[in-house]
């Protein structure tokens, strides 16, 4: 049917038992979207309002929360439409736009986590030099790189993707990810090698840098006093937890896009939902509970709301 439109529309064939669970899906997705907006919005607002949180570490946390809001705003509204519609379709141009935003934001998260690990390294291992090294200019440069580098890398892949001829118009997913490459009539060798290049520069290098900095931090703090070790644990553990979750979800994305279409549709659907839920929802919860200063302001905000009601 959609071939008649010269490939303008693509069918999203990854949904499971839509007729049976349509309204349940909508309720769950809407609830999750509201929770993600509220939790991440709270973190951003607290860091924006309180001057004692205007430090590089908290600014990077706010940037991660902002990325989560943007990522979900790109994905969830379209999911609402899809679960309530009889046919789950998306225009090719919109699909490419979603593809571009999803991967540029995802790669940006890795770079922000790298910036956070560098910030923790300087704070714990070079405390006297910290104000000089992690000044306002450094933070601005790190944020600019974290947002602009992925944009530049992914926009190239998106433009090339959008110009490929499609021989299939049904993807096995519920959003536009790398699985759309399987819709091309001819697999582009350049896209394959360029994808490897992006993976190396945007994932392998940042993750290696993060692990290297945290290993150095733990080696140095191991020989330090108990107070220094406690500070390192309190500030580094949340970052490592977020990194672990994000690596798992990235691994899921790779598995999803490489799964054969004959594989279980339910497995693919569940794994995709985990990508859409875990990182955006758990990040603010981890930072809100594990970061002492943020948790202090959250408790104060909660008490204020309770007292107003009383």
């Amino acid at each position: 049917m959609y071939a008649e439109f010269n490939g303008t529309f693509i069918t999203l064939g990854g949904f499971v038992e839509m007729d049976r669970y349509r309204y349940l899906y909508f309720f769950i997705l809407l609830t999750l979207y509201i929770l993600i907006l509220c939790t991440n919005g709270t973190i951003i607002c607290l860091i924006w309002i309180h001057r004692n949180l205007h430090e590089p570490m908290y600014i990077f946390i706010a940037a991660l929360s902002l990325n989560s809001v943007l990522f979900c705003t790109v994905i969830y509204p379209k999911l609402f439409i899809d679960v309530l519609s009889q046919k789950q379709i998306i225009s090719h141009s919109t699909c490419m736009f979603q593809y571009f935003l999803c991967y540029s934001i995802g790669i940006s998260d890795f770079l922000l986590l790298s910036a956070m690990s560098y910030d923790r390294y300087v704070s714990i291992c070079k405390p006297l030099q910290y104000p000089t090294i992690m000044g306002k200019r450094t933070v601005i440069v790190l944020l600019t790189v974290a947002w602009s580098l992925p944009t530049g890398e992914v926009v190239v892949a998106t433009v090339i993707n959008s110009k490929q001829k499609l021989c299939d118009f049904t993807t096995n997913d519920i959003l536009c990810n790398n699985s759309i490459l399987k819709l091309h009539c001819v697999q582009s060798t350049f896209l394959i090698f360029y994808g490897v290049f992006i993976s190396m520069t945007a994932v392998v290098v940042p993750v290696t840098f993060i692990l290297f900095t945290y290993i150095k931090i733990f080696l140095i703090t191991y020989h330090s006093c108990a107070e220094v070790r406690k500070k390192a644990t309190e500030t580094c553990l949340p970052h490592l937890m977020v990194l672990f979750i994000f690596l798992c979800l990235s691994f899921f994305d790779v598995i999803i896009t490489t799964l054969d279409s004959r594989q279980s549709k339910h497995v693919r659907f569940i794994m995709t939902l985990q990508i859409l839920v875990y990182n955006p929802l758990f990040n603010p919860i981890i930072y809100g509970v594990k970061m002492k200063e943020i948790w202090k302001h959250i408790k104060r905000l909660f008490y204020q709301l309770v007292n107003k009601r009383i």
Side-chain angles (χ1 to χ4, degrees):
M1 173 182 177
Y2 303 107
E4 294 176 6
F5 294 92
N6 296 320
T8 303
F9 290 93
I10 296 172
T11 299
L12 300 171
F15 291 93
V16 175
E17 300 188 46
M18 284 293 292
D19 294 334
R20 187 176 181 182
Y21 297 114
R22 185 183 309 278
Y23 297 105
L24 177 61
Y25 286 156
F26 179 80
F27 175 76
I28 293 174
L29 289 171
L30 181 61
T31 303
L32 288 171
Y33 185 53
I34 293 172
L35 283 174
I36 289 168
L37 292 182
C38 290
T39 52
N40 285 283
T42 299
I43 295 294
I44 294 170
C45 289
L46 287 175
I47 293 173
W48 179 275
I49 293 170
H50 298 285
R51 294 186 63 83
N52 67 319
L53 298 181
H54 291 182
E55 297 179 9
M57 176 176 62
Y58 299 112
I59 292 173
F60 293 136
I61 291 174
L64 275 175
S65 290
L66 179 60
N67 273 7
S68 295
V69 171
L70 293 174
F71 176 81
C72 292
T73 302
V74 170
I75 300 296
Y76 276 77
K78 180 64 173 71
L79 289 178
F80 299 153
I81 297 172
D82 287 334
V83 297
L84 294 178
S85 303
Q86 293 298 319
K87 295 178 181 178
Q88 293 73 45
I89 61 173
I90 185 171
S91 68
H92 186 246
S93 57
T94 304
C95 186
M96 288 294 95
F97 183 65
Q98 189 182 80
Y99 171 92
F100 164 72
L101 289 178
C102 286
Y103 282 108
S104 58
I105 292 171
I107 294 172
S108 175
D109 280 352
F110 276 115
L111 296 180
L112 287 173
L113 288 170
S114 299
M116 292 167 74
S117 69
Y118 178 68
D119 172 75
R120 290 301 84 208
Y121 170 76
V122 176
S123 175
I124 295 170
C125 302
K126 300 181 180 181
L128 297 179
Q129 298 172 274
Y130 182 78
T132 304
I133 297 175
M134 292 303 297
K136 184 178 179 180
R137 181 177 295 179
T138 303
V139 174
I140 293 173
V141 169
L142 290 174
L143 288 175
T144 302
V145 172
W147 278 322
S148 61
L149 180 61
T151 300
E153 289 184 335
V154 179
V155 74
V156 174
T158 305
V159 170
I160 297 173
N161 253 320
S162 63
K163 293 183 178 181
Q164 298 298 307
K165 184 179 179 181
L166 302 180
C167 283
D168 192 358
F169 303 94
T170 301
T171 179
N172 295 309
D173 288 290
I174 63 175
L175 70 159
C176 293
N177 52 24
N178 276 324
S179 61
I180 62 174
L181 297 176
K182 296 181 179 180
L183 306 182
H184 297 164
C185 297
V186 179
Q187 295 297 312
S188 170
T189 304
F190 175 80
L191 271 179
I192 294 172
F193 282 105
Y194 189 69
V196 174
F197 168 76
I198 292 179
S199 298
M200 292 296 297
T201 59
V203 179
V204 177
V205 172
V207 170
T208 303
F209 175 78
I210 292 169
L211 295 177
F212 174 76
T213 54
Y214 283 127
I215 288 171
K216 290 211 68 173
I217 288 172
F218 288 125
L219 287 176
I220 292 173
T221 55
Y222 178 77
H223 300 287
S224 304
C225 63
E227 185 178 344
V228 174
R229 288 198 297 270
K230 182 181 178 182
K231 177 186 176 183
T233 303
E234 288 178 349
T235 58
C236 295
L237 185 59
H239 303 327
L240 289 174
M241 292 170 64
V242 170
L243 175 63
F244 177 74
I245 292 173
F246 201 70
L247 279 174
C248 289
L249 298 181
S250 300
F251 184 62
F252 285 174
D253 181 68
V254 173
I255 293 175
I256 290 168
T257 54
T258 55
L259 275 177
D260 191 89
S261 58
R262 294 170 294 180
Q263 298 295 326
S264 173
K265 195 174 182 180
H266 291 78
V267 172
R268 184 189 292 269
F269 182 65
I270 292 171
M271 292 178 72
T272 304
L273 288 179
Q274 290 183 71
I275 295 173
L276 301 181
V277 174
Y278 282 1
N279 202 55
L281 186 57
F282 288 171
N283 277 11
I285 294 174
I286 290 172
Y287 287 125
V289 174
K290 292 292 184 180
M291 303 300 288
K292 188 166 61 175
E293 287 299 316
I294 295 178
W295 179 238
K296 183 175 67 177
H297 288 297
I298 290 175
K299 288 193 293 185
R300 186 179 301 169
L301 177 63
F302 177 75
Y303 292 143
Q304 290 174 351
L305 293 174
V306 171
N307 290 332
K308 282 184 179 180
R309 287 190 175 184
I310 294 175

